[in-house]
Amino acid sequence: MHKSLPNTVDYLEIPTRNLTETKRFFGELFTWAFTDYGPDYASFDDGRTTGGFFQSEKTAGVEAGSPLIVFYHEALEEMHGKVTALGGRITRDIFDFPGGRRFHFADPGEGEFAIWSDK
């Protein structure tokens, strides 16, 4: 279990249209384990941040003005291929930005995320 620290982001709750597929996707993409709390909620701990996914008809996306959750990985092209192989949909292909490169994707539950790299 992580240690909570004052004045830091402590927990993220993320909507998904398909909790089962979102768990499968992130479990395979990042090797996350999940703890189920009923049929409509599952928590995760990535070793640094904790959070959960909840079943919802609405999802988070940049076009809707939602915050974007951005993951880091050194092998950006590898992760791009893995995202699509696992059933994710690329919403913005790899592009440069100050400090690195990234791409945006939707998981099978239709939430939008990004992966970046400084390599």
Side-chain angles (χ1 to χ4, degrees):
M1 177 171 264
H2 79 288
K3 180 180 178 186
S4 295
L5 300 171
N7 307 319
T8 62
V9 174
D10 190 60
Y11 197 85
L12 302 170
E13 291 196 327
I14 307 162
T16 178
R17 289 191 180 135
N18 189 328
L19 183 58
T20 300
E21 281 300 301
T22 294
K23 286 171 33 184
R24 179 202 57 81
F25 178 83
F26 282 106
E28 292 182 36
L29 185 65
F30 295 132
T31 65
W32 289 355
F34 291 88
T35 302
D36 292 327
Y37 293 98
D40 296 330
Y41 194 90
S43 68
F44 66 86
D45 183 339
D46 70 5
R48 180 176 168 194
T49 303
T50 57
F53 288 98
F54 63 94
Q55 187 70 38
S56 174
E57 286 304 311
K58 295 183 179 182
T59 60
V62 174
E63 291 295 318
S66 298
L68 180 65
I69 297 172
V70 182
F71 304 102
Y72 175 81
H73 200 283
E74 290 180 345
L76 194 64
E77 284 78 9
E78 176 186 323
M79 294 306 288
H80 185 281
K82 197 170 179 181
V83 162
T84 57
L86 292 171
R89 180 175 49 83
I90 303 302
T91 58
R92 186 166 179 195
D93 217 342
I94 295 173
F95 64 96
D96 294 332
F97 70 96
R101 301 178 319 131
R102 74 182 192 201
F103 68 92
H104 296 201
F105 66 94
D107 78 287
E110 288 300 313
E112 187 175 10
F113 303 89
I115 298 176
W116 85 282
S117 179
D118 55 356
K119 305 293 181 204

